[in-house]
């Protein structure tokens, strides 16, 4: 179980998300409603809903907002959203997977294609980049959860497949179907995680230079700002030096 943590690479991303907290709550609310509609409206009986609720709690979404989103599903209220995945290429040949929840696919595909083209990217066909990724479970813990040995031991006992740690924290990967079970076991030994979700893990990462990184991060920011976009995954790697320089701009 080994790997190189990308925590330093995603500091910029986390900062961008902090600036868009209200939009983030809206997206989380949408995911909670969809998850609750897909099964039981009880997080203990619905793994997808439990993940959505945990992610909402991790960014301090108010409890009444979480409950309202669940109640919408229970009352069969709210729009019917479709889960649509888009794929494309960013600056430096980086592969990107864009996951959306939308009530209007025509609007969403037009917006996503426009964002790609305006920011040095190209939207591809479905399947054009997904073959270079693996669908897995992803669990993130802060450094305060414990040292690398403690977290590694807990992850192995819980049935995780891989772990990467650095000064910023710990990333734990699981098989897609094991995410709910592993996250539950880790919560007992390490406490509540910062993030628990399904993710696309690249088989090979593409190192980008400073100019490519600046354009790429602008593209990802623009995608994440779209109301219908839930998550953007990529196979990019940015050096700490470049990331610090861009974060200071």
């Amino acid at each position: 179980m080994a790997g190189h943590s990308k925590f330093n690479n995603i500091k910029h991303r986390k900062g961008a998300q902090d600036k868009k907290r209200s939009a983030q709550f809206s997206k989380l609310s949408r995911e909670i409603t969809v998850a609750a509609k897909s099964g039981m409206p009880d997080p203990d009986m619905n793994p997808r809903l439990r993940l959505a609720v945990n992610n909402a709690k991790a960014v301090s979404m108010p409890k009444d907002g979480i409950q309202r989103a669940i109640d919408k599903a229970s009352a069969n209220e709210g729009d019917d959203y479709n889960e649509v995945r888009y794929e494309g290429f960013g600056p430096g040949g980086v592969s990107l997977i864009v996951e959306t929840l939308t009530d209007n696919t025509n609007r969403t595909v037009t917006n996503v294609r426009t964002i790609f083209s305006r920011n040095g990217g190209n939207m591809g066909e479905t399947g054009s980049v997904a073959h270079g990724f693996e669908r897995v479970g992803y669990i993130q813990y802060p450094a305060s959860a414990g040292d690398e040995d403690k977290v590694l031991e807990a992850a192995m006992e819980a049935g995780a497949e891989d772990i990467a740690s650095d000064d910023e924290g710990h990333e734990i990967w699981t098989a897609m179907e094991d995410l709910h079970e592993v996250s539950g076991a880790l919560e007992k030994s390490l406490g509540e995680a910062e993030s628990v979700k399904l993710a696309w893990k690249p088989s090979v990462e593409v190192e980008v230079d400073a100019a490519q990184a600046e354009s790429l991060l602008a593209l990802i920011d623009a995608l994440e700002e779209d109301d219908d976009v839930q998550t953007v995954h990529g196979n990019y790697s940015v050096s700490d030096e470049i990331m610090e320089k861009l974060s200071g701009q």
Side-chain angles (χ1 to χ4, degrees):
M1 301 177 69
H4 173 64
S5 174
K6 291 182 65 180
F7 271 98
N8 291 331
N9 278 196
I10 63 172
K11 283 180 183 176
H12 177 92
R13 312 252 52 72
K14 292 173 72 175
Q17 286 301 324
D18 289 342
K19 295 176 184 177
K20 297 175 284 190
R21 178 152 295 199
S22 61
Q24 188 178 27
F25 286 172
S26 176
K27 294 182 181 188
L28 287 165
S29 177
R30 186 180 296 191
E31 168 60 20
I32 290 169
T33 300
V34 171
K37 279 187 174 183
S38 72
M40 296 286 290
D42 179 356
D44 291 331
M45 303 295 290
N46 183 336
R48 178 176 176 180
L49 178 58
R50 176 175 167 78
L51 296 183
V53 169
N54 284 349
N55 284 329
K57 289 179 178 178
V59 294
S60 303
M61 183 173 173
K63 288 183 179 179
D64 59 344
I66 294 173
Q67 191 58 50
R68 275 198 305 271
I70 294 175
D71 291 343
K72 270 189 177 182
S74 301
N76 203 28
E77 296 176 354
D79 298 307
D80 287 326
Y81 292 102
N82 295 311
E83 297 177 76
V84 185
R85 185 182 82 227
Y86 300 100
E87 302 176 29
F89 301 91
V94 167
S95 297
L96 296 173
I97 294 178
V98 183
E99 294 180 309
T100 71
L101 282 177
T102 177
D103 58 353
N104 185 327
T105 54
N106 289 333
R107 176 192 67 222
T108 305
V109 70
T110 298
N111 289 350
V112 171
R113 181 179 289 114
T114 300
I115 292 169
F116 266 103
S117 64
R118 286 181 177 175
N119 292 276
N122 294 288
M123 198 166 85
E125 298 295 327
T126 300
S128 58
V129 306
H131 59 84
F133 292 78
E134 180 184 6
R135 190 66 162 156
V136 297
Y138 174 79
I139 304 166
Q140 179 181 322
Y141 272 95
S144 58
D147 60 26
E148 184 175 0
D149 288 341
K150 176 185 177 181
V151 176
L152 174 61
E153 182 178 354
M156 292 179 68
E157 289 181 356
E161 293 191 345
D162 197 10
I163 178 174
S165 299
D166 68 8
D167 292 341
E168 299 293 327
H170 313 276
E171 294 177 306
I172 299 165
W173 305 90
T174 77
M176 180 176 66
E177 62 273 14
D178 296 338
L179 178 59
H180 184 59
E181 182 178 346
V182 172
S183 64
L186 285 172
E187 189 170 327
K188 293 177 182 177
S189 58
L190 299 177
E192 196 166 300
E194 282 189 332
S195 180
V196 178
K197 61 186 179 182
L198 291 173
W200 292 93
K201 185 179 183 182
S203 55
V204 178
E205 291 185 346
V206 176
E207 185 81 28
V208 292
D209 61 28
Q212 293 167 341
E214 186 172 11
S215 298
L216 175 64
L217 295 179
L219 167 58
I220 294 173
D221 279 345
L223 286 167
E224 290 180 341
E225 285 170 4
D226 187 272
D227 290 342
D228 297 332
V229 174
Q230 294 292 104
T231 315
V232 180
H233 303 273
N235 67 343
Y236 61 93
S237 179
V238 186
S239 71
D240 294 344
E241 181 182 0
I242 292 174
M243 187 59 73
E244 289 172 9
K245 179 181 177 182
L246 293 176
S247 298
Q249 288 183 355

